[in-house]
Amino acid sequence: MVFLSPLPTFYRVYRKKSTEGFQSTPYLVTLFSCLLWMYYAFLKSGSELLLTINAVGCVIESLYIAMYLVYAPKSARLLTAKLFIGLDVGLFGLIALVTMLASYGPLRVQVVGWICVAVALGVFAAPLSIIRLVIRTKSVEFMPFSLSFFLVLSAVIWFAYGALKKDIFVAMPNVLGFLFGVAQMALYMAYRNKKPATVVLVHEEMKLPEHVKEVAGGAKPQGGAPTEGRISCGAEVHPIDVLPAVAVDEQAAGAADEDVIRDDQNMLRPEQPVVIKPDVAIVVQA
């Protein structure tokens, strides 16, 4: 049931043709754990149940990883492939080779057993990798409840099995597995009714003038132009060191025989070049 609990997740991946925010880490670590427990079961007599269930787990987890590689984006595929080669092929092969060459009999069983305990704890903790995402987004969309539930159930049953068989390597990791599973279930219950956090972007719109006039700095005043850079529309005049371009919002209006423009205060005047001195600028009130 633990191995089959991600089925709804991968059905969603298949239906949407995308892995969305799901990660491959839990499945890679679970496959690595299954390989090690199979190796342990080969070394320890009377462990047929460990051998059969982990063989089934290897097949199921391999199918999950293959489907993830099909639908994941390129960067996620590359990372998953590297982890698969490095962890499930490279590290497992190294552990098997070293323990076969450097240890014998009961000592080999002890060494492999402790390695299995460490990896089993990693398997139980693997789904915790998305806890940060759950807390940040306030959404449990990417942390299935079924997986946490069956991890807790599996931990209780395998602890009982290990205790009855007097196999400390089977019983010990399931104690922490139970605690990890309960923590994940508690997090799910806390955020299951929360609305996902959304990022709100605030856009400020500034209406730009349709026509822009650049006022040259060295021009001389002409007849009819406002003197000393003053204009009769209630604008403010401020002295400055460098003259910027002044944008004047204009709209063409009037008869064919006379060109007139409308300023920001709806006052009409004949179109004339606007000239101000280099030491002043006009700030037109909106």
Side-chain angles (χ1 to χ4, degrees):
M1 296 305 297
V2 172
F3 293 141
L4 294 176
S5 59
L7 273 179
T9 296
F10 280 91
Y11 175 72
R12 172 177 172 173
V13 169
Y14 171 76
R15 185 165 48 87
K16 294 193 173 183
K17 311 299 182 187
S18 170
T19 55
E20 300 178 304
F22 297 107
Q23 299 178 354
S24 62
T25 306
Y27 314 107
L28 291 166
V29 175
T30 303
L31 176 60
F32 180 59
S33 175
C34 289
L35 292 170
L36 282 175
W37 281 113
M38 286 180 64
Y39 182 41
Y40 174 80
F42 276 119
L43 297 177
K44 186 176 177 64
S45 60
S47 300
E48 292 81 8
L49 292 179
L50 282 176
L51 181 62
T52 54
I53 184 58
N54 285 286
V56 173
C58 284
V59 174
I60 295 175
E61 297 301 324
S62 298
L63 292 175
Y64 289 156
I65 294 170
M67 183 176 292
Y68 188 92
L69 290 172
V70 170
Y71 295 112
K74 184 178 180 181
S75 57
R77 284 201 305 268
L78 290 175
L79 178 61
T80 301
K82 290 178 181 178
L83 288 175
F84 176 78
I85 295 173
L87 183 66
D88 298 322
V89 178
L91 185 57
F92 172 73
L94 181 63
I95 291 173
L97 182 63
V98 170
T99 53
M100 289 178 66
L101 296 178
S103 58
Y104 301 92
L107 178 61
R108 182 185 298 167
V109 175
Q110 295 282 328
V111 172
V112 175
W114 282 114
I115 294 174
C116 288
V117 168
V119 174
L121 295 179
V123 171
F124 287 122
L128 296 177
S129 61
I130 62 173
I131 278 186
R132 182 173 175 271
L133 178 64
V134 171
I135 295 175
R136 181 164 54 88
T137 61
K138 294 180 170 49
S139 172
V140 294
E141 182 181 8
F142 303 118
M143 190 177 71
F145 178 79
S146 58
L147 179 59
S148 302
F149 174 76
F150 285 117
L151 278 175
V152 171
L153 186 60
S154 174
V156 172
I157 295 174
W158 280 107
F159 172 79
Y161 174 83
L164 292 173
K165 295 278 291 185
K166 296 180 174 56
D167 192 334
I168 188 176
F169 301 119
V170 175
M172 182 186 301
N174 286 288
V175 175
L176 289 181
F178 173 79
L179 298 177
F180 282 145
V182 170
Q184 293 172 49
M185 292 173 65
L187 188 68
Y188 183 92
M189 298 301 292
Y191 286 102
R192 66 190 178 94
N193 292 325
K194 295 280 187 181
K195 292 184 178 179
T198 56
V199 179
V200 179
L201 299 179
V202 179
H203 300 278
E204 292 186 1
E205 283 192 9
M206 182 177 64
K207 186 178 181 180
L208 298 177
E210 297 177 1
H211 305 285
V212 177
K213 282 190 176 182
E214 293 186 359
V215 181
K220 295 181 179 180
Q222 298 180 4
T227 60
E228 298 297 323
R230 291 176 293 178
I231 190 166
S232 60
C233 64
E236 299 176 2
V237 178
H238 304 283
I240 59 171
D241 295 328
V242 181
L243 178 66
V246 179
V248 182
D249 190 7
E250 299 180 327
Q251 182 178 357
D257 57 336
E258 182 181 11
D259 257 340
V260 292
I261 60 173
R262 187 183 304 274
D263 61 13
D264 292 324
Q265 300 296 329
N266 295 326
M267 300 177 63
L268 298 177
R269 54 187 173 83
E271 184 178 7
Q272 295 178 352
V274 180
V275 180
I276 65 173
K277 292 185 176 181
D279 60 342
V280 295
I282 298 176
V283 180
V284 179
Q285 295 177 344

